[in-house]
């Protein structure tokens, strides 16, 4: 509860902050301080030091994994804000508003990691999504940003409608919104009830797929990620997507049983489709930003593997994947934001001009591609291991690695541009501190690449 | 502890190099690191193995375990000889950013050492991939005209192979009794026949790509040709041995039943590869490509001998791992000297080396003899044993492989004839002769060639324990 309450309060504070404090720098620092406060509040609940306890009639249930998810996502958000603070200021002239929006989104995240009731899932997703529509359109004078925002809004509302319809069906079959209610047993119950339940779950599945941008519900992703201001794309592609996955796994951990074997079929279909579309389309992109959008679809395909089984391995794998993917993606977008032009060619010759930055970019790309010594390798390893333990056919693993190899094509294109093609990239000024921040991310990438267990120590204790 | 030095020395030297610009200092650091590793390798040779064991990933039960048995010792020695030899022989080559180049070479060395030392499957995979990354950059930055595409193909091939191996590792790992990646527990894994065959195939593809064996070989000639020669030397002298080493260290002990069940297929592929590569080598005009194809043929023979699963053949292959490395290194260094000084690799444009540069010509003839495994050279011992085992396996197979010896003689002697004899060509006439460093390296290597050719017993002694592990249950 701590996270939800504190983030809402912080959101309200940031909203009114711009009346009192005019300096963008102070606003930024207050935002970061608030973020630290939020992390502390969540930590307090995790450790049982101080808990705000409100009786929600079982609509929210706080467990270790949910609180750990909060912790992970909040720390990632903190890193994100710490690195991108100045870039956020440059968009529009109301930096404090954006921080307020971030805190509201984190409130949604808090709900999504702890709901025990499908209505709370709906509320959580809405609290998460609506601020995102605003962030996407934040660059008011840019038509692309407006277009992206409108598209996102229309498609998002549509998917929310589907989500609601699914929840309604499930309620019709089950008589309850609660996740932990005893499931309908396919053998003893009436046929039409079972049908309702399955239909509801499949609608729910489709809506969740939309939120995590899995194919064939991914069509909004490239346009929205491309149109939104680059700093915000970074946030959407990482923290928001991760929250979506945590909610996704939470719903279907128990409910999937009602679907029986159908579950495996549709999940496999979606995974293979997502991997295929994400990876293959990414190869043909000419803009790095769009490539990263498709890469995020492809990575979502990998994260979906976490839904395949339901042992602790899956949760572990998902967390590690989220952390590895988010750190690398935040890093890449932080580099991208400093480029004047987002095409692959604009990276030509970066290694000559700025070897440090080229090295960092390469490290982040390696992590996304899953090369050893980076966090991404263990993320992929854990995911494959979880998939295997869950009893997936070997062919699915082979499909996974074939597409992992495909991803080399587009990630390494950037490496090739930076190191092997001559040119002079035009970039915005980068100060020393910004560089140091990126190096911190790089250290994290290598740290988790050598000792992934560091992350799990917190999961269990 | 001193096993860890094999990784630490090159890595520390590589980091030092990042801050050094002066050519002499670069050479000094590289050579110091190379010689220290070599000393360490020689020390290892005369010592009982002491494992280096450290907890690494406790959750996965993976340990940072380094260990060295006979074959590993031999390959470590080969690696430790190759790198200083390459540094010395190519020291006069012009390169931009020489410090970065040397640093990447040293990282490659550390990766290779790690592959040969790893006693834990996950660690092995780690080093397997890490040895590849610096090579990718080396070839793509300093390579020939088509370097980017060619290196990318090379990278992609090996990457797919190693990912398949990763699945194999996961498959075996989940079936080990104590859920551990150690090679000892891997050998005790309870695999059903299907699982065993699948895992075998997954490992095998990774190794076959690395060697490379016939259907997976297409990356190799291009990569050899386009890489800077120093890197080609690493690739063909040491890196291809990773695949063969994988077969010996992992495939044979882990899946004995699947290994025997598929020997026919693999030997057949190897033989096809040998003949194919030999025939292609005959048609080559480019010196580098000729050596590349000849190398494919030799590796194929070693692989075939390993898969006969016969003690004599495996012994031959173990020795040949070392000998082939030395021989091919010598040939590459000569090819590099010729290319650097005459400006061409085309054999048509070369000729009369013996008249103009008698020392170099003698060395060339020496290594060429080793390449066709003439008696008294080191390759003879290994090839004799390998053919012996192939003959015991199947006389027809042995006959087919035997054709390759004739073909090897044809293309190698043809090369000698074109390069060393005949009229002195324009390209040869401008040659200055090898610099002192290269010449010293070549002579030393030639001494090794004949020394181990006449008295191969030390090689047998070193590899004895590996053989014992493989064949005495």
């Amino acid at each position: 509860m701590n996270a939800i309450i504190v983030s809402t309060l912080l959101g309200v504070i940031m909203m009114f902050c711009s009346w009192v404090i005019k300096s963008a720098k102070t606003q930024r620092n207050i935002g970061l301080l608030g973020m630290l406060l939020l992390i502390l509040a969540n930590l307090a609940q995790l450790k049982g030091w101080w808990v705000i306890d409100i009786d929600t009639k079982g609509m929210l249930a706080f467990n270790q994994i949910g609180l750990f998810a909060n912790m992970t996502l909040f720390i990632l958000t903190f890193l994100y804000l710490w690195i991108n603070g100045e870039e956020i200021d440059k968009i529009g002239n109301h930096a404090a508003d954006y921080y307020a929006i971030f805190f509201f989104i984190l409130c949604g995240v808090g709900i999504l990691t702890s709901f025990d009731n499908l209505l709370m899932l709906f509320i959580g997703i809405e609290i998460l999504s609506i601020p995102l529509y605003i962030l996407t359109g934040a660059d008011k004078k840019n038509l692309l940003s407006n277009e992206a925002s409108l598209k996102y809004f229309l498609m998002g509302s549509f998917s929310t409608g589907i989500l609601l319809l699914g929840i309604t069906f499930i309620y019709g079959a089950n008589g309850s919104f609660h996740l932990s209610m005893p499931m309908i047993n396919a053998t003893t119950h009436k046929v039409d009830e079972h049908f309702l339940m399955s239909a509801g779950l499949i609608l729910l599945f489709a809506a969740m797929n939309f939120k995590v941008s899995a194919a064939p519900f991914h069509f909004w992703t490239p346009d929205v990620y491309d149109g939104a201001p680059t700093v915000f794309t970074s946030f959407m592609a990482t923290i928001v997507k991760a929250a979506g996955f945590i909610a996704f796994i939470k719903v279907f951990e128990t409910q999937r049983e009602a679907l029986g074997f159908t579950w495996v079929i549709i999940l496999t279909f979606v995974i293979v489709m997502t991997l295929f579309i994400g990876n293959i389309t990414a190869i043909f992109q000419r803009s790095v930003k769009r490539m990263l959008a498709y890469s995020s679809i492809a990575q979502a395909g990998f994260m979906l593997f976490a839904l395949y089984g339901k042992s602790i391995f899956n949760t572990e794998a998902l967390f590690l994947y989220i952390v590895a993917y988010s750190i690398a993606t935040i890093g890449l977008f932080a580099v991208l934001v400093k480029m004047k032009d987002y095409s692959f060619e604009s990276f030509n010759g970066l290694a000559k001009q700025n070897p440090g930055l080229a090295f960092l970019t390469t490290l982040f790309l390696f992590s996304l591609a899953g090369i050893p010594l980076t966090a991404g390798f263990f993320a992929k390893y854990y995911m494959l291991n979880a998939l295997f333990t869950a009893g997936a056919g070997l062919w699915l693993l082979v499909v996974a690695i074939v597409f992992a190899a495909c991803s080399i094509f587009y990630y390494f294109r950037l490496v090739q541009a930076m190191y092997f093609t001559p040119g002079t990239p035009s970039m915005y000024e980068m100060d020393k501190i910004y560089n140091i921040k990126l190096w911190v991310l790089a250290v994290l990438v290598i740290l988790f690449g050598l000792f992934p267990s560091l992350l799990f120590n917190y999961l269990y204790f | 502890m001193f096993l860890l030095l094999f990784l630490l020395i090159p890595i520390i030297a590589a980091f030092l190099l990042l801050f050094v610009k002066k050519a002499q200092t670069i050479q000094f650091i590289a050579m110091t690191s190379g010689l220290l590793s070599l000393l360490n390798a020689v020390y290892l040779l005369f010592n009982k193995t002491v494992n280096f064991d450290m907890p690494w990933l406790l959750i996965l039960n993976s340990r940072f375990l380094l260990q060295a048995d006979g074959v590993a010792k031999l390959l470590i020695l080969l690696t430790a000889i190759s790198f200083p030899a390459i540094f010395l022989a190519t020291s006069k080559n012009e390169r931009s950013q020489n410090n970065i180049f040397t640093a990447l070479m040293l990282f490659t060395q550390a990766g290779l050492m790690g592959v040969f030392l790893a006693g834990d499957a996950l660690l092995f995979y780690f080093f397997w991939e890490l040895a590849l990354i610096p090579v990718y950059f080396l070839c793509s930055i300093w390579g020939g005209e088509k370097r980017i595409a060619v290196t990318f193909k090379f990278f992609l091939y090996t990457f797919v192979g190693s990912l398949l191996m990763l699945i194999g590792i996961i498959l075996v790992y989940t079936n080990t009794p104590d859920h551990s990646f150690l090679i000892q527990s891997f050998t005790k894994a309870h695999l059903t026949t299907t699982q065993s065959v699948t895992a075998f195939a997954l490992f095998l593809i990774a190794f076959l790509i690395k060697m490379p064996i016939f259907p997976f070989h297409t990356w190799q000639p291009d990569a050899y040709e386009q890489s800077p020669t120093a890197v080609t030397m690493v690739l063909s002298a040491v890196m291809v041995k990773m695949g063969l080493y994988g077969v010996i260290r992992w495939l044979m002990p882990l899946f004995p039943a699947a290994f025997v069940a598929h020997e026919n297929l693999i030997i057949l592929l190897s033989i096809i590869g040998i003949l194919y590569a030999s025939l292609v080598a005959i048609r080559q005009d480019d010196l580098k490509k000729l050596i590349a194809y000849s190398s494919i043929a030799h590796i194929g023979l070693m692989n075939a001998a390993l898969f006969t699963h016969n003690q004599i053949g495996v012994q031959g292959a173990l020795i040949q791992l070392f000998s082939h490395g030395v021989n091919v290194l010598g040939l590459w260094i000569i090819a590099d000297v010729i290319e650097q000084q005459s400006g061409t690799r085309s054999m048509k444009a070369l000729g009369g080396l013996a008249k103009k540069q008698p020392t170099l010509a003698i060395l060339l003839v020496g290594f060429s003899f080793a390449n066709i495994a003439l008696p008294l050279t080191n390759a003879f011992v290994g090839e004799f044993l390998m053919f012996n085992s192939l003959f015991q396996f199947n006389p027809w197979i042995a006959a087919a492989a035997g054709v390759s010896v004739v073909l090897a003689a044809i293309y190698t002697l043809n090369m000698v004839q074109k390069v060393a004899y005949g009229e002195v060509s324009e390209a040869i006439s401008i040659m200055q002769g090898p610099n002192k460093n290269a010449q010293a390296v070549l002579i030393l290597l030639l001494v090794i060639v004949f020394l181990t050719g006449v008295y191969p017993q030390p090689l047998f002694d070193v590899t004895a324990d590996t053989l014992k592990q493989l064949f005495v249950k």
Side-chain angles (χ1 to χ4, degrees):
Chain A
M1 207 70 204
N2 289 7
I4 300 173
I5 305 273
V6 173
S7 61
T8 318
L9 286 178
L10 284 169
V12 176
I13 291 172
M14 287 312 291
M15 236 161 73
F16 294 104
C17 172
S18 54
W19 282 1
V20 188
I21 297 155
K22 297 291 175 202
S23 148
K25 199 173 172 200
T26 321
Q27 290 174 355
R28 198 160 71 220
N29 288 338
I30 293 178
L32 276 180
L33 205 68
M35 209 48 237
L36 277 182
L37 207 67
L38 183 57
I39 292 171
L40 265 181
N42 192 57
L43 187 69
Q45 183 164 12
L46 193 68
K47 296 274 182 189
W49 298 330
W50 173 72
V51 183
I52 304 175
D53 198 12
I54 296 173
D55 184 13
T56 54
K57 309 282 177 210
M59 290 177 104
L60 295 173
F62 299 93
N63 57 13
Q64 196 78 2
I65 291 182
L67 292 173
F68 178 72
N70 280 349
M71 213 63 208
T72 319
L73 294 184
F74 292 168
I75 291 175
L76 284 173
T77 315
F78 177 78
L79 280 175
Y80 163 80
L81 291 175
W82 180 57
I83 289 171
N84 290 310
E86 285 168 42
E87 292 300 320
I88 293 173
D89 290 348
K90 286 182 193 156
I91 294 162
N93 38 13
H94 301 286
D97 295 2
Y98 297 135
Y99 284 93
I101 288 174
F102 283 129
F103 282 118
F104 289 137
I105 292 176
L106 291 182
C107 172
V109 170
I111 294 174
L112 285 179
T113 54
S114 60
F115 68 92
D116 197 32
N117 184 301
L118 291 177
L119 281 182
M120 288 317 281
L121 167 72
F122 168 70
I123 291 175
I125 284 200
E126 281 305 277
I127 295 182
L128 185 81
S129 302
I130 292 173
L132 282 181
Y133 306 142
I134 305 173
L135 285 187
T136 311
D139 196 357
K140 280 181 226 163
K141 285 172 191 152
N142 185 342
L143 270 181
L144 279 177
S145 173
N146 290 333
E147 182 202 332
S149 177
L150 185 66
K151 258 187 193 163
Y152 195 17
F153 174 65
L154 288 176
M155 303 277 272
S157 340
F158 194 64
S159 90
T160 312
I162 292 175
L163 180 81
L164 266 183
L165 188 62
I167 292 177
T168 318
F169 280 0
I170 293 173
Y171 183 77
N174 227 358
S176 160
F177 289 119
H178 274 277
L179 281 182
S180 34
M181 281 294 279
M183 292 311 316
I184 287 216
N185 186 334
T187 48
T188 54
H189 273 72
K190 287 182 218 146
V191 177
D192 52 343
E193 272 179 14
H194 184 243
F195 175 75
L196 262 185
M197 186 73 191
S198 307
L201 281 176
I202 286 173
L203 288 174
L204 204 61
F205 183 72
M208 291 311 289
N209 273 328
F210 177 88
K211 291 294 169 200
V212 299
S213 64
F217 308 99
H218 67 283
F219 290 101
W220 60 276
T221 317
D223 286 347
V224 171
Y225 282 13
D226 199 13
T230 310
V231 262
F232 296 144
T233 312
S234 167
F235 186 73
M236 282 194 279
T238 53
I239 288 114
V240 173
K241 181 174 277 213
F245 266 106
I246 287 162
F248 203 162
I249 208 167
K250 230 169 136 50
V251 183
F252 283 93
E253 223 169 12
T254 46
Q255 306 288 338
R256 60 201 289 175
E257 264 147 46
L259 282 174
F261 191 63
T262 325
W263 165 253
V264 177
I265 294 174
I266 55 171
L267 182 67
T268 314
F269 172 74
V270 167
I271 290 174
V272 174
M273 189 99 164
T274 310
L275 284 173
F276 179 80
I277 290 177
N279 282 302
I280 300 298
T281 325
I283 294 174
F284 297 103
Q285 297 309 312
R286 308 184 68 179
S287 135
V288 176
K289 198 175 174 188
R290 247 184 131 75
M291 180 276 276
L292 283 173
Y294 279 103
S295 127
S296 96
I297 296 176
Q299 301 279 356
F302 242 96
M303 287 194 241
L304 278 172
F305 281 132
L307 286 145
Y308 204 91
K310 48 179 184 173
S311 59
I312 184 71
F313 292 121
N314 298 71
T315 325
E316 275 182 1
L318 183 65
F319 276 117
L320 188 60
Y321 210 104
I322 285 173
V323 170
Y325 162 75
S326 301
I327 294 178
T329 310
I330 289 175
L332 275 179
F333 274 110
V335 175
L336 192 63
V337 109
K338 294 289 183 189
M339 305 298 293
K340 285 189 176 151
D341 173 22
Y342 290 160
S343 70
F344 276 94
E345 288 75 33
S346 68
F347 279 81
N348 284 356
L350 188 66
K352 275 257 162 57
Q353 198 189 53
N354 193 341
L357 193 66
F359 173 77
L360 287 170
T361 315
T362 310
L363 195 71
F364 297 140
L365 287 168
F366 276 12
S367 186
L368 286 181
I371 301 220
L373 220 65
T374 61
F377 165 69
F378 274 113
K380 285 224 162 62
Y381 171 80
Y382 269 76
M383 209 46 115
L384 290 175
N385 195 20
L387 187 63
F388 191 77
T389 322
L394 202 66
W395 69 269
L396 196 57
L397 273 88
V398 173
V399 167
I401 64 130
V402 166
F403 285 119
C406 279
S407 74
I408 292 284
F409 271 101
Y410 49 91
Y411 292 136
F412 272 55
R413 238 175 94 197
L414 207 53
V415 176
Q416 287 168 356
M418 288 189 299
Y419 280 92
F420 317 138
T421 326
T424 41
S426 55
M427 302 183 64
Y428 296 107
E429 279 289 304
M430 269 174 75
D431 53 1
K432 267 223 173 84
I433 300 170
Y434 195 78
N435 245 321
I436 291 170
K437 288 171 178 173
L438 288 179
W439 277 100
V440 169
L441 282 187
V443 167
L444 284 176
V445 167
I446 292 181
L447 198 66
F448 285 121
L450 281 174
F451 306 104
S453 40
L454 287 178
L455 186 69
F456 303 127
N457 289 346
Y458 292 98
L459 187 58
Y460 299 118
F461 306 111
Chain B
M1 183 61 202
F2 69 99
L3 288 182
L4 194 62
L5 285 179
F6 284 115
L7 305 177
L8 287 182
I9 294 172
I11 289 177
I12 292 173
F15 275 112
L16 281 179
L17 280 172
L18 295 180
F19 307 102
V20 175
K21 285 270 148 53
K22 222 173 129 203
Q24 277 166 327
T25 328
I26 295 171
Q27 185 68 8
F28 175 74
I29 293 177
M31 283 311 294
T32 315
S33 144
L35 291 177
L36 280 176
S37 295
L38 183 56
L39 265 180
N40 205 8
V42 173
Y43 176 71
L44 176 66
L45 221 46
F46 295 107
N47 259 277
K48 281 256 183 277
T49 325
V50 190
N51 291 349
F52 179 81
D53 194 1
M54 207 173 72
W56 180 31
L57 299 166
L58 288 177
I59 284 190
L60 293 172
N61 210 352
S62 169
R63 303 185 70 82
F64 194 91
L65 172 66
L66 303 178
Q67 57 185 29
D69 61 348
V71 58
K73 282 181 187 171
L74 208 56
L75 284 169
I76 286 169
L77 182 66
L78 176 65
T79 317
I81 292 176
S82 303
F83 277 85
I86 294 168
F87 288 138
L88 207 55
T90 63
S91 59
K92 297 285 187 292
N93 292 10
E94 296 267 323
R95 289 183 202 108
S96 58
Q97 292 180 295
N98 199 13
N99 62 330
I100 309 275
F101 182 91
T102 318
L104 286 172
M105 289 284 278
L106 287 171
F107 278 126
T108 317
Q109 187 187 3
L112 287 165
M113 291 290 191
V115 169
F116 298 139
L117 283 170
D120 176 291
L122 203 60
L123 196 64
F124 177 73
Y125 179 82
F126 240 67
F127 285 121
W128 181 273
E129 288 265 287
L130 287 183
L132 180 65
I133 305 288
V135 171
Y136 171 74
F137 282 97
L138 282 169
C139 299
S140 297
I141 298 178
W142 288 276
E145 233 170 85
K146 290 181 291 176
R147 60 187 191 277
I148 294 176
V150 164
T151 315
F152 190 59
K153 183 174 167 189
F154 163 49
F155 184 84
L156 209 61
Y157 256 90
T158 6
F159 188 68
V160 171
S162 43
L163 279 174
L164 288 172
M165 180 167 74
L166 183 65
I167 296 183
I169 291 177
I170 293 175
L171 186 79
V172 181
Y173 166 69
T174 37
N175 289 301
T176 47
D178 52 348
H179 276 271
S180 146
F181 286 98
L182 296 188
I183 186 161
Q184 288 88 343
S185 357
F186 261 45
T187 46
K188 290 188 204 107
H190 303 296
L191 297 166
T192 64
T193 317
T194 336
Q195 277 175 331
S196 173
V197 171
T198 322
F200 168 78
L202 291 168
F203 274 86
L204 182 69
I205 292 175
F207 298 151
L208 291 188
I209 289 177
K210 201 79 185 186
M211 284 182 215
I213 293 299
F214 167 58
F216 306 108
H217 69 284
T218 55
W219 62 266
Q220 199 203 31
D222 288 344
Y224 278 17
E225 193 203 349
Q226 294 293 324
S227 304
T229 312
V231 181
T232 316
M233 292 175 195
V234 176
L235 281 176
S236 67
V238 192
M239 212 160 208
V240 289
K241 307 297 189 309
M242 280 164 68
L244 292 161
Y245 176 77
V247 171
I248 297 165
R249 189 75 179 261
W250 297 93
L251 224 47
M252 286 170 102
L254 253 53
F255 318 105
F259 192 86
V260 174
H262 294 83
E263 54 186 18
N264 282 324
L265 174 70
I266 308 300
I267 290 180
L268 191 69
L269 286 180
S270 306
I271 299 291
I272 295 175
I274 296 172
L275 292 176
Y276 169 80
S278 304
L279 288 171
V280 178
I282 289 179
R283 300 288 305 160
Q284 294 305 316
D285 180 51
D286 185 318
L287 208 52
K288 256 181 140 179
K289 277 202 161 174
L290 185 132
I291 305 176
Y293 278 106
S294 140
S295 187
I296 296 185
H298 283 105
I299 296 285
L301 183 61
M302 284 184 240
N303 192 42
L306 283 178
F307 273 82
T308 57
H309 207 253
N310 171 323
Q311 195 163 348
I312 298 173
V314 174
Q315 173 72 76
L318 289 181
I319 292 184
Q320 189 67 0
L321 279 178
F322 181 77
S323 305
H324 171 259
V326 174
N327 300 346
V328 87
L329 192 60
L331 282 177
W332 282 123
I333 293 177
I334 294 174
D336 185 48
V337 170
I338 293 177
E339 188 193 350
Q340 292 289 329
Q341 300 194 352
S342 71
T344 176
R345 296 195 302 246
S346 163
M347 292 194 289
K348 272 190 205 121
L350 297 166
L353 190 69
K355 277 189 197 135
K356 184 82 177 134
Q357 299 290 341
T359 329
L360 195 61
I362 291 171
L363 290 165
L364 175 67
V365 171
F367 284 108
S368 302
F369 283 170
N371 199 40
I372 44 181
L374 237 57
L376 287 190
T377 64
N378 55 358
F380 173 73
V381 187
E383 291 214 352
F384 178 77
L385 293 172
M386 292 196 287
F387 275 113
N388 197 337
S389 75
L390 277 175
F391 188 78
Q392 287 178 23
F393 181 77
N394 183 337
W396 292 106
I397 294 272
V403 174
S404 79
V405 180
V406 181
L407 294 175
I410 294 175
Y411 61 73
T412 312
L413 294 179
N414 190 25
M415 183 258 289
V416 171
Q417 193 186 351
K418 277 187 186 157
V419 175
Y421 302 110
E423 292 287 302
V424 177
S425 69
E426 201 177 329
I428 290 286
S429 65
I430 56 168
M431 278 183 69
Q432 304 289 318
N435 60 56
K436 286 222 175 66
N437 291 345
Q439 201 162 335
V441 169
L442 283 170
I443 291 172
L444 274 177
L445 289 175
L446 202 62
V447 168
I448 298 180
V449 166
F450 284 104
L451 213 59
T452 51
V454 177
Y455 184 61
Q457 193 57 35
L459 296 180
F460 289 117
D461 291 343
V462 171
T463 50
D465 63 333
T466 307
L467 268 192
K468 213 162 124 193
Q469 274 168 23
L470 289 174
F471 287 98
V472 183
K473 289 285 161 196

